[in-house]
């Protein structure tokens, strides 16, 4: 009897190992409790059952499989089984904690589980784990390190996670190493920092506070870093740094580079040739291609884009003289490097000159010249500027599906860039036409990628391609019944009632800044409200109020653009907002009037009450994402390129006129009226075409659907 009791006790211990610190709690109960907690948390992360239901089933089955495998492994001692199961519990807990902190962490689950199933046996068998962690992003790597904190390899795994996290923000690497110069992977981080910003590395070598770190940099055996060190103190360093690989490999001399620099086009072509001729198979060298790419962008802007933009009123022969004689690959890199800096007419002029090189030839041969470098950027810009169909029509139709597949495929491959790539694809939709064969090919490719991701359990891809299908339908069909509007709210329309306060007034705030442009803009702004039969103007030292003489008035508050040198303009804004707060006035329209470098100050004034943000500065499109994170429901008007009072004032006038007529803001109607108004002035029309309406910011819809409407 005693023998039977001992056998039964042993079996029970085998199946219910006790967890350290959980006295009396069988390990299977501890495991089950955490598994249930994880699944409950997962099911709150999204309403999208296409993702959540199969992901939950996959997770539960896979984790049960891991647990059963541990329990049935006769080669493990009871202590080792306890340790392994505890790591699984810690792993689930860490994944759950990450999801609570950041919704997108749910997309880590499948890759993290796959890695866990490789790491656990590697640790048990004393095999290397670094190769398993290498392809993973920082967040799941840290989850795995935390899960295996009981194992001897934990310090290494934790350092790998820290390395991944720090290297993802290379601009802060030197700050990190200042405090931890002896970090295990310091040498690798130094190389990343040097390649990211070699000029900053040179400055640190001259003035850095940590002597030990400076010595470590100077003592590096990496020949490319040593080449950067050798350029310390060289007056030609800014022109030489892009060629750090070639200088270190002795394939070019500093004298040859400096000589080319005396001729603008020759130097730019040297940059392009060097990039196209750089070996891609040498991974230790490829990281140092960034200074070369940065050099191309810097010179493309300085040598060409700025001049072409500045000469926008000159004849084309003068305006585009700087690019005369450049090769198609040179024009390609100017376009793809300066897309965000170019006026619409500047882009179109460069595109025209690029295409002149392919008369009688297939246009897609351009991509083979440059090895498909910057290809997604080129496609996105072509769509944005409405020349994509023209480009595709200048190549064999049979090749178009392959290009679209290359552009739209695999956006889920990198969790760090997947959302950004999806937003770029959405921007591409804006240049498509519902009646073209290309539109059908795009729809086919999106659906193929969606189904591929669904079959292979790439849940990030399922989410992103699912959103892109919705946004694509909106871009092509422009239906007010599109289901996106059921989720986001209808961005085709902004109801007048949504802008009206409790007292029946619509309160607007317009912010100006105290530089010359701001003062000129403010004076021009006031001229719109001089009719005393329509408007009542009240002034004080810091701000003005403008009230419409109607039964449901518009009230516009604007700060005076007082001298910015002593921040008197900001003080005037503070005084205005203090008045609004004291009188319980909540503005529903916020308008920014000023240069782009003032925009962050305006965004600090963005409150939940604001339903419409009119951003009058250059490149305000790039800030729309920041605005969405502050106030997800706000509708935005802004410019992808150049903001100007020539366009801003008519937009504001049209909006106010519509509201005074007690009408809703139907953006398609507002935009058509503005298009008609600007049609008599080609320059103003070109600038207006760079603006986007609340219903036209497709990439922002992708962001909002992904981040805020799971």
């Amino acid at each position: 009897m005693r023998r039977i009791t001992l056998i039964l006790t042993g079996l029970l211990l085998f199946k219910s190992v006790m967890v350290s610190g959980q006295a009396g709690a069988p390990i299977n109960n501890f495991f089950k409790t955490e598994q249930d907690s994880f699944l409950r948390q997962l099911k709150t992360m999204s309403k999208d059952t296409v993702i959540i239901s199969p992901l939950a089933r996959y997770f539960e089955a896979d984790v049960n499989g891991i647990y059963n495998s541990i329990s049935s492994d006769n080669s493990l001692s009871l202590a080792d089984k306890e340790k392994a199961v505890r790591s699984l519990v810690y792993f689930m807990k860490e994944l759950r904690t990450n999801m609570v902190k950041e919704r997108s962490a749910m997309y880590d689950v499948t890759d993290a589980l796959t890695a866990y199933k490789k790491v656990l046996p590697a640790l048990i068998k004393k095999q290397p784990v670094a190769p398993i962690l290498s392809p993973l992003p920082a967040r799941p790597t840290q989850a795995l390190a935390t899960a295996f904190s009981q194992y001897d390899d934990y310090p290494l795994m934790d350092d790998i996670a820290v390395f991944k996290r720090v290297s993802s923000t290379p601009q802060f690497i030197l700050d990190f190493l200042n405090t931890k110069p002896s970090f295990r992977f310091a040498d690798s981080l130094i190389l990343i920092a040097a390649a990211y910003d070699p000029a900053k590395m040179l400055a640190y070598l001259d003035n850095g506070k940590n002597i030990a770190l400076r010595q470590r940099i100077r003592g590096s055996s990496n020949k490319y870093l040593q080449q950067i060190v050798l350029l310390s103190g060289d007056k030609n360093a800014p022109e030489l740094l892009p060629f750090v690989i070639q200088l270190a490999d002795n394939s070019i001399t500093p004298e040859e580079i400096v000589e080319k620099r005396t001729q603008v086009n020759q130097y730019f072509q040297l940059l392009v040739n060097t990039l196209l001729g750089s070996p891609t198979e040498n991974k230790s060298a490829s990281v140092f291609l960034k200074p070369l790419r940065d050099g191309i962008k810097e010179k493309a802007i300085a040598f060409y884009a700025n001049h072409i933009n500045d000469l926008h009123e000159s004849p084309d022969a003068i305006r585009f003289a700087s690019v005369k004689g450049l090769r198609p690959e040179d024009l390609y890199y100017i376009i793809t490097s300066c897309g965000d800096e170019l006026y619409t007419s500047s882009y179109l002029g460069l595109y025209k000159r690029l295409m002149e090189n392919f008369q009688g030839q297939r246009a897609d041969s351009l991509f083979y010249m440059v090895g498909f470098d910057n290809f997604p950027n080129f496609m996105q810009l072509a769509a944005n500027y409405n020349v994509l169909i023209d480009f595709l029509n200048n190549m064999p139709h049979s090749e178009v599906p392959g290009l679209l597949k290359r552009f739209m495929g695999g956006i889920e491959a990198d969790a760090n860039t997947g959302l950004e790539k999806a937003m770029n694809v959405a921007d591409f939709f804006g240049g498509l036409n519902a009646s073209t064969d290309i539109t059908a090919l795009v729809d086919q490719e999106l659906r193929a990628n969606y189904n591929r991701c669904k079959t292979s359990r790439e849940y990030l891809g399922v989410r992103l391609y699912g959103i892109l299908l919705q946004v694509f339908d909106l871009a092509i069909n422009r239906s007010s019944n599109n289901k996106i509007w059921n989720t986001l709210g209808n961005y085709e329309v902004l109801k007048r009632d949504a802008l009206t306060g409790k007292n029946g007034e619509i309160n607007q705030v317009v912010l100006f800044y105290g530089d010359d442009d701001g003062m000129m803009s403010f004076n021009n702004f006031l001229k719109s409200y001089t009719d005393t039969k329509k408007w009542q103007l009240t002034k004080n030292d810091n701000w003005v109020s403008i009230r419409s003489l109607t039964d449901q008035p518009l009230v516009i508050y604007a700060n005076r653009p007082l001298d910015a040198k002593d921040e008197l303009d900001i003080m005037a804004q503070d005084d205005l907002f203090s008045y609004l707060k004291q009188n319980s006035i909540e503005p529903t329209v916020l308008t920014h009037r000023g240069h782009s470098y003032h925009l962050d100050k305006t965004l600090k004034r963005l409150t939940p009450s604001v339903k419409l943000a009119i951003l009058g500065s250059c490149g305000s499109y790039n800030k729309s994402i920041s605005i969405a994170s502050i106030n997800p429901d706000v509708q935005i008007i802004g410019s992808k390129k150049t903001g100007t009072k020539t366009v801003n004032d008519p937009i504001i006038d049209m909006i106010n006129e519509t509201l005074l007529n007690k009408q809703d803001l139907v953006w398609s109607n507002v935009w058509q009226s503005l298009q008609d108004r600007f049609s008599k002035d080609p320059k103003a029309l070109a600038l207006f075409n760079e603006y986007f309406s609340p219903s036209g910011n497709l990439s922002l819809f992708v962001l909002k659907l992904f981040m805020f409407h799971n």
Side-chain angles (χ1 to χ4, degrees):
M1 184 71 181
R2 178 177 171 79
R3 184 178 179 185
I4 294 173
T5 302
L6 287 171
I7 292 172
L8 290 173
T9 302
L11 288 171
L12 288 170
L13 283 170
F14 179 83
K15 300 190 75 174
S16 302
V17 184
M18 306 301 289
V19 177
S20 176
Q22 298 287 326
I27 188 67
N28 60 334
N29 291 341
F30 190 43
F31 161 79
K32 185 62 178 173
T33 298
E34 183 53 48
Q35 185 187 47
D36 289 345
S37 296
F38 179 90
L39 290 170
R40 282 196 302 272
Q41 182 63 47
L42 178 62
K43 290 171 183 176
T44 68
M45 301 309 296
S46 175
K47 297 176 183 177
D48 190 345
T49 55
V50 174
I51 294 172
I52 292 300
S53 297
L55 180 55
R57 288 195 299 271
Y58 167 73
F59 177 85
E60 186 172 19
D62 226 34
V63 168
N64 283 339
I66 295 169
Y67 177 81
N68 292 333
S69 177
I70 294 169
S71 299
S72 61
D73 190 343
N74 294 328
S75 68
L76 296 178
S77 67
L78 292 179
D80 284 340
K81 288 182 179 183
E82 175 187 347
K83 190 175 178 180
V85 174
R86 193 185 303 122
S87 76
L88 184 57
V89 173
Y90 291 166
F91 178 61
M92 289 189 290
K93 188 170 186 176
E94 189 69 10
L95 290 178
R96 178 166 59 87
T97 301
N98 287 345
M99 288 194 302
V100 171
K101 291 178 180 176
E102 194 169 349
R103 189 185 299 268
S104 61
M106 62 184 277
Y107 301 108
D108 294 342
V109 170
T110 51
D111 286 344
L113 267 174
T114 300
Y116 179 94
K117 288 187 289 186
K118 295 177 181 178
V119 171
L120 179 59
L123 290 173
I124 291 171
K125 296 174 184 177
K126 307 296 182 182
Q127 296 173 342
V129 295
I132 303 171
L133 299 179
S134 179
L136 290 177
R139 190 170 56 197
T141 301
Q142 187 63 68
L144 286 162
T146 302
F148 293 108
S149 58
Q150 312 159 85
Y151 288 78
D152 292 341
D153 277 7
Y154 167 71
L156 170 63
M157 295 179 68
D158 189 54
D159 280 352
I160 291 173
V162 171
F163 169 79
K164 288 174 178 287
R165 186 172 66 250
V166 174
S167 62
S168 68
T169 53
Q171 64 271 35
F172 301 119
I173 285 176
L174 289 177
D175 296 332
F176 171 79
L177 292 178
N178 263 328
T179 59
K180 294 188 176 181
S182 299
F183 178 63
R184 187 194 305 255
F185 301 113
D187 291 338
S188 296
L189 286 175
I190 287 169
L191 293 182
I192 294 171
Y196 179 79
D197 191 344
K200 182 177 179 179
M201 183 62 72
L202 286 178
Y204 189 85
L205 287 172
D206 291 336
N207 303 304
K209 296 179 181 179
N210 192 312
I211 297 174
L213 179 57
R214 286 162 58 185
Q215 290 175 339
R216 187 161 191 166
I217 294 169
R218 292 187 182 278
S220 171
S221 61
N222 182 277
K223 66 177 181 178
Y224 304 114
L225 178 54
Q226 277 303 306
Q227 182 60 58
I228 292 174
V229 172
L230 288 173
L231 293 177
S232 179
D234 191 320
K235 66 178 181 179
N236 294 314
E239 313 300 338
L240 299 175
L241 283 172
F243 303 94
V244 62
I245 297 174
Q246 291 68 33
L247 288 168
D249 290 341
N250 295 315
S251 60
I252 196 170
T253 66
E255 292 74 22
E256 289 174 305
I257 297 170
V258 171
E259 182 182 354
K260 292 284 188 182
R261 181 61 183 86
T262 61
Q263 298 294 324
V264 166
N265 285 358
Q266 288 186 22
Y267 182 77
F268 187 73
Q269 289 180 332
L270 177 63
L271 288 166
V272 172
N273 290 344
T274 303
L275 179 61
L276 294 179
S278 295
T280 55
E281 66 278 1
N282 186 345
K283 291 185 178 180
S284 64
S286 61
V287 68
F288 285 94
L289 286 177
K290 186 179 184 301
L292 181 54
R293 292 187 179 281
D294 290 346
I296 289 175
K297 180 172 183 177
E298 177 190 337
K299 300 309 180 187
I301 293 172
F303 292 171
Y304 307 111
N306 287 345
H307 292 291
I308 293 170
N309 287 343
D310 290 343
L311 294 170
H312 61 269
E313 294 183 346
S314 301
D316 275 8
I318 296 173
R319 185 179 185 187
F320 293 95
S322 60
V323 299
K324 186 176 182 180
L326 290 183
R327 306 163 302 176
E329 55 264 45
D330 303 323
L331 295 171
Y332 177 86
Y333 277 104
I334 293 171
I335 288 172
T336 57
S337 299
C338 304
D340 292 339
E341 307 291 334
L342 293 168
Y343 293 177
T344 299
S345 55
S346 300
Y347 172 89
L348 294 174
L350 288 168
Y351 174 79
K352 174 185 174 183
R353 282 154 181 78
L354 174 66
M355 294 302 291
E356 285 172 353
N357 289 279
F358 298 97
Q359 293 180 0
Q361 301 179 50
R362 46 189 289 177
D364 61 322
S365 61
L366 169 67
F367 299 131
Y368 295 94
M369 288 182 183
V370 298
F372 282 86
D373 192 31
N374 287 359
F375 166 74
N377 193 19
F378 181 87
M379 295 285 282
Q380 180 192 350
L381 289 168
N384 287 350
Y385 289 105
N386 294 317
V387 296
L388 178 64
I389 303 302
D390 174 77
F391 183 85
L392 296 179
N393 284 338
N394 279 281
M395 58 180 284
H397 187 72
S398 60
E399 300 298 317
V400 173
L403 282 188
L404 295 177
K405 185 178 186 69
R406 181 185 287 266
F407 178 62
M408 294 188 289
I411 62 176
E412 79 288 350
D414 186 342
N416 292 323
T417 61
L419 177 58
E420 181 182 353
K421 288 179 179 178
M423 293 170 69
N424 290 340
V425 171
D427 275 339
F428 163 83
F429 297 158
L432 299 176
N433 185 298
S435 62
T436 67
D437 293 341
I438 292 167
T439 298
L441 290 173
V442 170
D443 181 68
Q444 178 182 325
E445 186 60 30
L446 289 173
R447 294 184 188 281
N449 278 292
Y450 177 81
N451 292 329
R452 172 183 59 80
C453 290
K454 197 172 178 182
T455 301
S456 60
R457 295 196 184 101
E458 292 284 356
Y459 295 111
L460 176 61
V462 173
R463 180 69 180 152
L464 292 174
Y465 284 113
I467 290 171
L468 285 173
L469 281 165
Q470 294 181 62
V471 175
F472 176 72
D473 179 63
L474 171 68
I476 298 305
N477 298 318
R478 285 291 170 187
S479 170
S480 59
N481 296 322
N482 189 285
K483 60 183 179 181
I484 279 185
W485 301 142
N486 297 332
T487 306
L488 293 176
N490 193 344
Y491 278 64
E492 287 280 1
V493 179
L494 182 54
K495 296 284 188 180
R496 191 183 193 281
D497 290 347
L499 299 174
T500 304
K502 295 177 181 178
N503 58 1
E505 298 178 351
I506 296 177
N507 295 302
Q508 305 178 13
V509 170
V510 186
L511 298 180
F512 292 89
Y513 292 87
D515 48 28
D516 291 343
D517 182 76
M519 295 173 189
M520 186 185 306
S521 185
F522 180 76
N523 292 331
N524 199 61
F525 164 78
L526 288 181
K527 290 177 184 177
S528 299
Y529 306 101
T530 55
D531 188 343
T532 55
K533 294 180 180 178
K534 292 184 178 180
W535 303 99
Q536 178 185 2
L537 178 63
T538 304
K539 302 180 180 180
N540 64 36
D541 291 340
N542 288 325
W543 48 272
V544 302
S545 66
I546 305 163
R547 176 181 291 270
S548 66
L549 301 177
T550 54
D551 58 335
Q552 294 182 8
L554 270 64
V555 187
I556 305 169
Y557 300 91
N559 70 287
R560 291 180 178 275
L562 304 181
D563 197 335
K565 292 178 182 177
D566 297 319
E567 295 191 342
L568 297 180
D569 51 354
I570 303 300
M571 292 172 63
Q573 292 179 11
D574 290 341
D575 185 51
L576 169 57
F577 276 87
S578 177
Y579 170 83
L580 296 176
K581 184 176 182 180
Q582 289 172 8
N583 290 275
S584 300
I585 297 171
E586 295 187 333
T588 54
V589 180
L590 178 66
T591 302
H592 171 77
R593 301 296 298 269
H595 290 297
S596 57
Y597 48 78
H598 293 305
L599 186 53
D600 284 338
K601 302 170 194 172
T602 295
L603 297 186
K604 292 179 180 178
R605 311 287 185 177
L606 189 64
T607 62
S609 68
V610 174
K611 300 296 186 293
L612 175 64
I614 305 172
L615 311 179
S617 63
C618 300
S620 51
Y621 172 82
N622 298 316
K623 287 292 183 181
S624 59
I625 293 174
S626 300
I627 293 170
S629 65
I630 298 170
N631 185 344
D633 298 322
V634 68
Q635 295 195 15
I636 304 168
I637 294 173
S639 174
K640 291 186 176 182
K641 302 291 181 274
T642 307
T644 170
K645 63 179 180 291
T646 305
V647 176
N648 292 331
D649 286 335
I651 287 177
I652 294 170
D653 290 346
M654 182 69 67
I655 288 172
N656 286 340
E657 182 181 324
T658 303
L659 295 174
L660 286 171
N661 288 331
K662 300 181 181 179
Q663 296 175 346
D664 298 331
L665 294 167
V666 180
W667 294 119
S668 58
N669 296 342
V670 171
W671 236 243
Q672 186 59 58
S673 297
L674 288 165
Q675 196 97 27
D676 295 341
R677 179 169 178 170
F678 289 122
S679 62
K680 299 175 183 177
D681 184 348
K683 179 184 173 183
L685 180 61
L687 292 168
F688 172 68
N689 285 337
E690 295 170 352
Y691 279 67
F692 58 89
S693 71
S695 62
N697 197 345
L698 300 179
S699 64
L700 183 61
F701 295 157
V702 171
L703 175 80
K704 288 187 173 184
L705 288 167
F706 184 81
M707 297 297 293
F708 307 114
H709 297 278
N710 280 291

